[in-house]
Amino acid sequence: MLQAAKEAQDGDDPPKGDFPVQKKSPKLCGSNYPLSIAFIVVNEFCERFSYYGMRAVLTLYFLSFFHWDENLSTAVYHAFSALCYFTPVIGAIMADSWLGKYKTIIYLSIVYVVGHLIKSVGAIPSLGNQVVHVILSMVGLFLIALGTGGIKPCVSAFGGDQFEEEHTSERSKFFSIFYLSINAGSLISTFVTPVLRGDVKCFGEDCYALAFGVPAALMVLALVVFIAGSGLYRKTPPQGNVLLEVCKCIGFAIKNRLKNRSRQIPKRDHWLDWASEKYSKQLIGEVKMVTRVLFLFIPLPMFWALFDQQGSRWTLQATKMNADFGIYVLQPDQMQFLNPLLILVFIPIFDLGLYPLINMCKFNFTPIRKMATGMILAGMAFGLAAVVELKINETDMPQLVPEESLIRVLNLAKNPVQVTIQDRDLFQQPVEAFQNPAEYSKLILNGEQQSLRFTLQHQGLSLAFNYTVKEKSVYSLIVFEAEGSLSSRLITDLEAKPENGLAAVRFINGLSQDVNLSIDSKRFIAVQKNYSASEYSLLERDKYNNGKCITEMGEFTLELGLLDFGASYTIVITNVSGGDVKTWKSEDIKANNVHMAWQLPQYLLISAGEVMFSITGLAFSYSQSPASMKSVLQAGWLLTVAVGNTLVLVVAQAAPMAQWAEFVLFTVLLFAVCVIFSIMGYFYVSVDPEDLEEKEEKRETSSRGNMISLVTQKTKL
């Protein structure tokens, strides 16, 4: 969240040039703070609530609503995030070269609102088919990315423009308030929006339309608030885009150097000196300062590649964990609220405690070292995530390969049964009546499918049944008594855990009459008599003790007990007596037994790493650039976030692997990049832009003096 809070630091230096003549804005409560900044701060709070609230549920939206797999959901999530950090360049060009900040914010906020509305409409299940939903969602996300990215470089800088030149301390405090509004918006939205998604039901399922609709309403409010303060704003005209000038200067230098490759042409001290035929020495000198810092930016995208996976891979990891905290059951996408919360806690701890303590120990904790430490902490966070993932996998179903299936036996008869399968030695011990089945046994086939002979031995009798078994399938062999004899059925089980922490349940009707079951007053299931099996139903994790079972004999209470996160259950209706239904419950797939609290250490580490990396990196790059180039470095910083998200997109699509292995891969890559960055930082010489500018002016003065002297001597000759 922190990079969003700092994404317009160039606002500390308002555009140079004269402000248009206008009346001064009224002040807040007799202070030196313009009343107009109140509208800007509220606008930013609503906009950040809108953005982070929508993004918090986005991965689960792709997974559950579109039924995409985890890799595709992750790739699209990071493609959207990357686009959000590419589009600030467009917003900066529009504001500085064409419309000015005020109009740019208005126009792109309208685009932003339209995108949110389209996105919300696309989440209504009854509106068209999945193709329509995907098209509407992608169009909405594109417009949102254009809107949120386009106004990034404008809003905070526009807030800085509201202060008179003599009120620099008030302007500095404004950015702190601005930063707090960003984190407050992200903190509240990442906690509230998942509740709207998961706890509120609409159209019979999770209410994504509401989860996207509330952020849309907040963005409408943000636009209304911003327009309401129109008469109070100081609006500076476009001053020309420095970023374009820098790009033109670099492009001309490269082009000119390529044209003059002859050995007879004297070399120049720096490759940017080849732009001197067209651009001033001052601009070239400032571009040199900027390129030195931009060179240091090259390794930085890898940090953001890990950091932004909190909303994708870490959220998907949370769906496979136990989210019951006793007094509250957390939604998997709610864990993201820890990041902005921890940021607000860590900043004063680091600034007032940790850093002064390190200084007292006489350790030179330079900005480069802080950023490298932030990288190490993020890498450690992903190492912990890999350990947690391995622990989660212990409750997963085994991965099936061709010519392989899984099978188990459910003995619903009154006495033990010995089961043997043709040419296989699987069940060596008799299966007791209503015995909780052990783990599934692996069944090797001779092809894609095979007909196998199953033999049941029961009280001296031997019965045989033939069943066709397909590869990569999971089966339960149900053994039961029918008409005084032993019988069996082979039914298909789930091959993987239910998604998103849901519980799966099916029923086997052991009665001699059909039954109709009502689980949560909305879900009705009809199960035929004589050990017929129903399809699986997906339910939220909860205790279900108020169900109904309707038979020819009447209506009875159905108690299922706790259906836990990620578990699969088979419930056998054995008989009815009194006012209750007697059942037997078997856990087919184990519930998620790794608690979501185990994600807390990785959130602690990556949030601490963000404080060290992001705040330090922005302050460092800000101090190493001339005043006129701070917006260029801001654009470069945002592009590192975009490139980092692009890296995740590439890995998710190009190199599918086990999730724990992917976490390890990113850990190793970040540690390797950290070493490279540390080496680059070791050779980097910190500079003061003002000192370099003074030296450049003296050098130019000296050069002009020498040129005058040379001309004079030539005249005498």
Side-chain angles (χ1 to χ4, degrees), residues 69-329:
D69 61 36
E70 292 187 358
N71 287 332
L72 180 57
S73 300
T74 299
V76 177
Y77 173 90
H78 286 283
F80 167 71
S81 298
L83 187 60
C84 289
Y85 286 94
F86 277 119
T87 51
V89 176
I90 298 174
I93 293 173
M94 289 175 62
D96 292 343
S97 304
W98 179 27
L99 295 174
K101 297 184 187 71
Y102 175 75
K103 289 185 178 179
T104 300
I105 294 171
I106 292 292
Y107 294 157
L108 290 181
S109 292
I110 294 173
V111 173
Y112 201 163
V113 168
V114 172
H116 266 302
L117 294 176
I118 293 175
K119 185 77 183 69
S120 302
V121 171
I124 300 175
S126 59
L127 186 67
N129 55 24
Q130 182 166 339
V131 175
V132 174
H133 296 148
V134 171
I135 292 174
L136 289 175
S137 295
M138 294 305 106
V139 170
L141 287 176
F142 175 79
L143 295 178
I144 291 171
L146 181 60
T148 188
I151 67 176
K152 274 186 205 301
C154 301
V155 179
S156 63
F158 185 70
D161 291 349
Q162 306 308 307
F163 293 85
E164 286 85 8
E165 291 296 329
E166 63 269 20
H167 298 148
T168 54
S169 63
E170 286 82 0
R171 182 191 297 138
S172 178
K173 291 178 182 177
F174 157 74
F175 286 109
S176 297
I177 298 171
F178 188 83
Y179 159 72
L180 288 174
S181 72
I182 288 173
N183 279 273
S186 62
L187 173 63
I188 296 172
S189 64
T190 49
F191 188 86
V192 171
T193 311
V195 174
L196 299 177
R197 172 197 63 80
D199 292 353
V200 179
K201 301 298 178 183
C202 57
F203 308 103
E205 54 190 53
D206 284 357
C207 199
Y208 285 100
L210 179 63
F212 292 137
V214 170
L218 264 293
M219 192 57 221
V220 172
L221 179 60
L223 179 59
V224 170
V225 168
F226 187 76
I227 294 175
S230 177
L232 303 174
Y233 299 139
R234 297 179 64 180
K235 305 168 187 175
T236 59
Q239 300 291 320
N241 194 284
V242 179
L243 179 60
L244 284 178
E245 286 299 308
V246 171
C247 293
K248 289 178 181 178
C249 180
I250 293 174
F252 181 81
I254 296 173
K255 183 179 179 181
N256 196 29
R257 179 66 184 91
L258 293 176
K259 283 184 178 179
N260 297 278
R261 289 177 293 176
S262 173
R263 295 182 180 178
Q264 298 177 354
I265 300 175
K267 293 183 178 180
R268 302 186 183 183
D269 295 337
H270 194 279
W271 64 272
L272 277 168
D273 291 334
W274 288 94
S276 59
E277 282 81 357
K278 185 175 181 181
Y279 295 93
S280 67
K281 288 186 177 180
Q282 180 182 354
L283 178 63
I284 293 173
E286 291 176 345
V287 174
K288 288 179 182 178
M289 298 181 210
V290 169
T291 53
R292 292 174 72 249
V293 182
L294 289 178
F295 179 71
L296 275 180
F297 280 5
I298 292 175
L300 304 190
M302 186 53 66
F303 175 88
W304 299 118
L306 276 70
F307 177 81
D308 273 347
Q309 290 188 58
Q310 293 175 76
S312 57
R313 293 302 198 193
W314 285 13
T315 297
L316 293 174
Q317 183 184 70
T319 64
K320 297 177 283 187
M321 304 178 77
N322 187 332
D324 187 4
F325 285 82
I327 59 174
Y328 186 76
V329 176

Side-chain angles (χ1 to χ4, degrees), residues 630-649:
K630 297 190 188 298
S631 61
V632 177
L633 278 181
Q634 181 61 31
W637 181 266
L638 294 177
L639 286 176
T640 65
V641 183
V643 174
N645 279 275
T646 305
L647 290 175
V648 183
L649 188 158

Side-chain angles (χ1 to χ4, degrees), residues 32-44:
N32 290 324
Y33 292 92
L35 180 59
S36 55
I37 66 168
F39 294 88
I40 296 172
V41 169
V42 174
N43 164 269
E44 186 65 13

